[in-house]
């Protein structure tokens, strides 16, 4: 879930930034906070346990991908217009990635690393696009941009390093969930500030 998911309805009001902002859209900022904390817990679990086979990492990544699909579906329920379509498409994409991970858990390191890199590159790109799409409304968007760039760099690293160990694969997945958690927590507090501002300016 991204901040843009909850602010997409602003354009339909025909108002400037925060002018007649739809307060209901940002009332759900706590959803991002909950999912962000959940991702941080998942990342802690990933880093704590020792995974010794590619099958175990594949199943782990499948759970992460399906979790991403669920959060995108949650985002689509509080979004209107084009952003809703984007989040539904992302949910379908992440669900497909998760299913592939479950169906072929014993594939080679190369196949799994390719799948991880695919996920990270798409996730990072969307985070950056989301940040720039609402950068005029709220300060501090650079934090989301940094998170998106980190995901992109991690994805390109995975794309160029397919013959590494299980430890590195786990590190990639753990780093991805950690970045996701930080991104959503930052976005949650930014949404809260937008909500407060919108209430002050709403007629």
């Amino acid at each position: 879930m991204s901040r843009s998911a909850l602010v997409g309805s602003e354009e339909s009001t025909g108002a400037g930034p925060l002018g007649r902002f739809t307060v209901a859209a940002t009332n759900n900022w706590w959803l991002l906070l909950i999912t962000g904390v959940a991702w941080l817990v998942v990342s802690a679990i990933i880093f704590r346990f020792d995974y010794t086979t590619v099958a175990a990492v594949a199943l782990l990544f499948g759970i992460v991908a399906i979790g991403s699909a669920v959060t995108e579906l949650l985002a689509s329920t509080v979004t209107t217009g084009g952003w809703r379509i984007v989040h539904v498409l992302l949910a379908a994409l992440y669900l497909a990635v998760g299913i592939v991970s479950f169906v072929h858990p014993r594939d080679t390191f190369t196949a799994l690393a390719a799948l991880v890199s695919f996920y990270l590159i798409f996730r990072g790109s969307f985070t950056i696009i989301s940040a720039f799409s609402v950068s005029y409304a709220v300060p501090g968007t650079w934090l989301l941009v940094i998170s998106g760039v980190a995901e992109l760099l991690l994805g390109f690293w995975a794309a160029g390093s397919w013959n590494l160990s299980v430890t590195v694969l786990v590190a990639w997945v753990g780093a991805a969930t950690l970045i996701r958690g930080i991104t959503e927590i930052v976005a949650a507090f930014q949404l809260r500030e937008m909500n407060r501002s919108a209430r002050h300016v709403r007629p």
Side-chain angles (χ1 to χ4, degrees):
M1 188 184 299
S2 67
R3 178 179 55 177
S4 62
L6 302 178
V7 301
S9 59
E10 177 182 10
E11 295 179 358
S12 64
T13 64
L18 300 180
R20 293 179 57 196
F21 199 89
T22 305
V23 174
T26 54
N27 278 339
N28 297 300
W29 64 270
W30 54 271
L31 285 174
L32 278 176
L33 183 61
I34 291 175
T35 57
V37 171
W39 281 117
L40 291 184
V41 172
V42 170
S43 69
I45 294 173
I46 291 173
F47 286 125
R48 180 166 180 81
F49 288 95
D50 182 25
Y51 299 89
T52 57
T53 66
V54 67
V57 181
L59 293 175
L60 168 68
F61 177 65
I63 294 172
V64 170
I66 291 176
S68 295
V70 171
T71 57
E72 294 300 334
L73 285 177
L74 285 175
S76 69
T77 63
V78 292
T79 311
T80 59
W83 280 114
R84 172 171 293 178
I85 296 174
V86 169
H87 285 288
V88 170
L89 291 176
L90 282 175
L93 175 64
Y94 296 152
L95 180 61
V97 169
I99 291 174
V100 170
S101 296
F102 284 128
V103 172
H104 301 287
R106 299 186 182 278
D107 279 352
T108 63
F109 286 106
T110 300
L112 181 56
L115 202 59
V116 172
S117 65
F118 175 78
Y119 168 83
L120 288 171
I121 289 172
F122 266 87
R123 183 69 235 171
S125 299
F126 182 66
T127 299
I128 294 173
I129 292 172
S130 299
F132 281 115
S133 69
V134 291
S135 61
Y136 59 84
V138 174
T141 308
W142 59 273
L143 291 171
L144 297 181
V145 174
I146 290 176
S147 296
V149 170
E151 288 175 316
L152 274 180
L153 292 177
L154 201 60
F156 284 121
W157 178 29
S161 308
W162 289 351
N163 295 313
L164 297 178
S165 66
V166 171
T167 302
V168 176
L169 287 172
V170 172
W172 285 341
V173 178
T177 57
L178 179 63
I179 294 171
R180 183 73 183 265
I182 294 173
T183 300
E184 296 201 357
I185 290 174
V186 169
F189 285 108
Q190 290 181 330
L191 266 182
R192 187 181 66 170
E193 292 304 314
M194 295 171 74
N195 180 272
R196 289 178 176 177
S197 298
R199 288 181 183 278
H200 285 307
V201 302
R202 187 179 58 173

